[in-house]
Amino acid sequence: MAAVVLGGQGWYAAAAVVLEGLMAGGGLFGSLAASTLASHRRQLGGHAAARVLDGRALAMVPDGGGRDPDDVDAAGARADALLGLAADAVGAGRLAEARRLHARVEPRGWRSRVRHQWLAAEIALAGGHAEQAVHPAGVAASTAREAGATRHILKSDLVLGTALVVRGTPESVARGVDVLLCDLNHTNRRGLFSLIWPTALVLANAQADRTFADMQNVKECAENALSCVLRRADPAGRRLADRSPWIPTALLRSGEPPNADAQTNFLTD
């Protein structure tokens, strides 16, 4: 739980210390720890590194076990590992593999059901079918709200807002911007830097009808949050982010213009 909270706030180096210790112990919590560290690597654009960790997580899932409403059980650990592998495949552009892995998951608790819907939306977006991403993103948001899980609510709203913006109709874009503006306000208040920068980056690209000053303010929010995340990452995480096409690190380089291609790819993918 400590590592999950640290990761949500972008303290990836501190989280990695806790998670690596748990992974060494194996078993249920070793598996859950490997999946969590994989998620943090993905959030820094390191999908190949995350794939290795998700594979370890799947190998460590114990047999049997009880039932836990928050998925802290063998079934939840298996779902975490498989959904992580599906997310890794999305990031690497292997959509057929992502669909196969996604189909293997049988979500039980609220957390795996929310993540299952995130992946459904992300696979649809990556395949160029934004209209098909809106429904699962909305289901994820509703499920997270029923559970009262703050970070999952805010991540679900990021997925939903992005799906609406990428769908591209005037109505969906307007609704998506409203969702993301609200989301950015709440993530800022809670210091959830791992969610602030992608939310702000989508908004910066979506607000074509806003003033230049408004867009610059949102872009600066993305830059500041991403800078905090990278400063709080361990050396391995920073190397992954610097090499990843998913992380617009050019935004942070003094004297250089923003990397428009990276921003556009983030929005459409």
Side-chain angles (χ1 to χ4, degrees):
M1 182 61 74
V4 168
V5 173
L6 287 165
Q9 296 175 334
W11 292 101
Y12 291 130
V17 172
V18 179
L19 294 169
E20 287 166 359
L22 287 170
M23 287 167 55
L28 174 62
F29 286 98
S31 175
L32 292 168
S35 290
T36 303
L37 185 55
S39 176
H40 295 170
R41 295 309 193 208
R42 264 195 310 279
Q43 290 163 22
L44 291 170
H47 294 83
R51 179 183 173 90
V52 174
L53 289 163
D54 283 316
R56 289 180 63 184
L58 188 60
M60 282 191 280
V61 174
D63 294 329
R67 293 288 297 272
D68 182 83
D70 298 319
D71 289 310
V72 185
D73 54 24
R78 177 178 172 80
D80 271 4
L82 288 172
L83 288 170
L85 287 167
D88 302 331
V90 171
R94 297 191 296 267
L95 296 187
E97 178 184 328
R99 293 186 186 100
R100 287 195 301 271
L101 290 161
H102 183 260
R104 289 175 58 187
V105 177
E106 297 179 5
R108 294 183 180 178
W110 67 267
R111 194 169 58 84
S112 59
R113 285 186 280 123
V114 169
R115 295 191 68 216
H116 195 254
Q117 295 298 322
W118 287 348
L119 259 296
E122 290 163 7
I123 290 169
L125 283 169
H129 304 290
E131 71 285 354
Q132 298 175 15
V134 174
H135 176 71
V139 172
S142 297
T143 304
R145 283 181 167 81
E146 289 171 6
T150 299
R151 184 186 177 280
H152 285 74
I153 292 169
L154 298 174
K155 169 71 180 289
S156 298
D157 283 348
L158 167 58
V159 177
L160 176 59
T162 302
L164 288 165
V165 166
V166 177
R167 186 176 184 181
T169 68
E171 296 80 8
S172 71
V173 172
R175 183 186 166 205
V177 167
D178 286 344
V179 169
L180 292 168
L181 284 170
C182 182
D183 204 39
L184 186 60
N185 178 51
H186 287 290
T187 52
N188 263 318
R189 282 171 48 200
R190 290 168 173 81
L192 299 176
F193 289 99
S194 61
L195 294 177
I196 291 171
W197 77 262
T199 304
L201 193 56
V202 176
L203 271 170
N205 284 275
Q207 298 188 87
D209 60 337
R210 303 296 176 106
T211 67
F212 178 77
D214 288 339
M215 293 181 67
Q216 284 300 108
N217 287 338
V218 175
K219 191 173 292 183
E220 286 175 8
C221 181
E223 292 171 1
N224 292 338
L226 183 55
S227 294
C228 285
V229 164
L230 294 178
R231 282 198 301 269
R232 295 173 175 183
D234 58 324
R238 286 195 293 272
R239 285 194 297 270
L240 291 172
D242 190 56
R243 297 168 184 168
S244 175
W246 289 92
I247 307 298
T249 51
L251 285 175
L252 310 176
R253 293 170 188 154
S254 176
E256 292 186 13
N259 186 334
D261 288 341
Q263 292 181 63
T264 304
N265 288 343
F266 176 87
L267 178 62
T268 56
D269 290 350

